Amino acid sequence: MSDTERLRDEGSPDERSDLRPASSGDGQWGARGRGDRPGGGRAAPDGRRSVRAGTDRRGGRADRPAVDRPRRAAYEAVAAVHRDDAFANLVLPAILREEGLTGRDAAFATELTYGALRHLGTLDAILTAAAGRDVQRIDPPVRDALRLGAYQLLHTRVPAHAAVSSTVDLVRAVGPGATGFANAVLREVAERDADAWVERLAPSMESDPIGHLALAYSHPQWVVRAFAEALGGDLGETTRLLIEDNERPPVHLCARPGRVDAVELADEVGGAPGAFSPYAVYLGGGAPGDLPAVAEGRAHVQDEGSQLVATALTVAPLDGPDGRWLDLCAGPGGKAGLLGAIAAERGARLTAVEVAEHRARLVSQATRGLPVSVLHTDGRTVGEDPKLPEEHFDRVLVDAPCTGLGSLRRRPESRWRRQPSDLSSLTRLQRELLGAALRAVRPGGVVAYVTCSPHTVETHVTVTEAARRSGVPVDFVDARPLLPAGMPGLGDGPTVQLWPHRHGTDAMFLAVLRRG
């Protein structure tokens, strides 16, 4: 996989559909022998340990207690995230199906998985204090079990004795030599509630506000700092954003225009029409992939913010022809599906470009039956690829690969994976893609630059620099009138930043440029 493909895969959180490659993370032990790991326990030959308690690897009964299935499923999901760099939203549904979990059991496993991942930073600080050693020195399987136990103690209504005993049973299955250690650590954790632990461990808000917010609301400090900067230094609003990031977000559906009306879809699925997007439906619960409307291509899963920024491109004022549209970074296909449906109603045609082959296939699946041509190529080849001529397209979308900091409530593990060092390669790619879009659009045409990140380096700095370096005349279009009337908190323009705590959407950024 090329660097561009990797960044595209990791940088676009919208409707993600693949796993990151396995890494040499917590499941690999280097030169240390398996018998002398901290916490003990035996692993399978590939370094992994399962909690399929009750049978040994030869099929006979093992001398271990059974771990209840919801906690077992949550453990397997969290372990896969940390061991294999998996995505929770992909591995957990598969585990739930394998375990046969539905209803309340599935909901409990989901709550444990996502809660432990969201609160990971704070949980690790508390476990470090309770254990008297850095949490990174604890055997990884035991560490993941302790994280789940601490989450139950501090953030759920599970009685303390049940949280401790069930977690000790889990540790007995994945690290038998560490049961006494786990019992002692969890009993220490249970001595305080979450607020008391934060009061003990976090720096004061007065002396170190960023450090305080980072530990209190479980975000890396660099992310908190980036949010605060994007919010103009308002720490109160930053706090509200961090709180919202730690809440479970609702599922948003997109009713594809020409195929189903949002009100009809809401009635069909038992949801409610969205607050802003004319195509949005809020789903109350259940598995959206099981809905007939999704299976039949009348709707797809898509955050309302993504719908709004894609639709904004289609309503930007335009002089002259309006039949050739371009989605320069189309995978996995959510925005291409919406654009293609709108194009069908208006007699236009969309060219959808995707550099990663597997994501290009997903775009083809997402746009089946729509006036969309899918190109498996690098969007930066505008002017070199005969199918991507310069000054050819009327409307161009650049849904750029980014850090994904705007969707941390949906991708809880992302906040711990991303690093400030990622910005250099990402912003270079963003500038190059936006430069290619400005070459691709005809004079008088419009380009929408979109990221699912509020980081100013990925938003204002990237757009300004790309426009300056493009070598073509560019004017900013005020994006606020392109969004539904009455939307609050859109700022002073000409760009728009959406926020979870203001709009109930992912933190999508939108800039619209017209080529002179």
Side-chain angles (χ1 to χ4, degrees), residues 84-116:
D84 304 328
D85 276 355
F87 293 111
N89 68 305
L90 295 178
V91 296
L92 180 60
I95 292 170
L96 295 178
R97 287 193 299 271
E98 183 181 348
E99 292 286 351
L101 295 178
T102 59
R104 294 178 63 182
D105 284 346
F108 183 52
T110 301
E111 168 67 14
L112 292 185
T113 300
Y114 281 88

Side-chain angles (χ1 to χ4, degrees), residues 486-509:
M487 280 196 72
L490 296 183
D492 300 325
T495 63
V496 164
Q497 178 68 63
L498 303 178
W499 294 102
H501 66 293
R502 288 184 186 175
H503 309 106
T505 69
D506 290 346
M508 303 296 299
F509 172 83

Side-chain angles (χ1 to χ4, degrees), residues 12-47:
S12 178
D14 198 17
E15 306 94 48
R16 195 186 305 278
S17 53
D18 58 330
L19 292 175
R20 289 177 64 173
S23 70
S24 57
D26 289 344
Q28 304 292 329
W29 296 96
R32 180 189 292 159
R34 287 181 179 149
D36 60 357
R37 288 189 287 255
R42 289 285 171 180
D46 63 356

Side-chain angles (χ1 to χ4, degrees), residues 47-87:
R48 305 179 184 186
R49 273 174 285 179
S50 172
V51 288
R52 307 288 176 189
T55 59
D56 65 18
R57 292 180 62 217
R58 296 180 301 275
R61 294 297 301 177
D63 187 20
R64 295 179 180 179
V67 180
D68 70 86
R69 292 191 301 156
R71 289 181 173 89
R72 182 169 69 193
Y75 171 82
E76 295 284 7
V78 170
V81 167
H82 295 143
R83 180 189 63 225
D84 304 328
D85 276 355
F87 293 111

Side-chain angles (χ1 to χ4, degrees), residues 97 148 154 226 244 249 296 393 395 421 510:
R97 287 193 299 271
L148 289 166
L154 300 173
E244 189 66 29
E296 296 162 5
F393 296 94
R395 301 181 188 271
S421 56
L510 169 67

Side-chain angles (χ1 to χ4, degrees), residues 44 48 57 62 76 124 142 154 201 258 375 390 427 438 451 467 503 508:
R48 305 179 184 186
R57 292 180 62 217
E76 295 284 7
D124 279 2
V142 175
L154 300 173
L201 299 176
L375 296 182
E390 293 187 6
T427 54
L438 292 171
T451 66
H503 309 106
M508 303 296 299

Side-chain angles (χ1 to χ4, degrees), residues 324-336:
R324 295 177 297 203
W325 300 1
L326 174 65
D327 184 347
L328 205 59
C329 310
K335 295 181 182 68

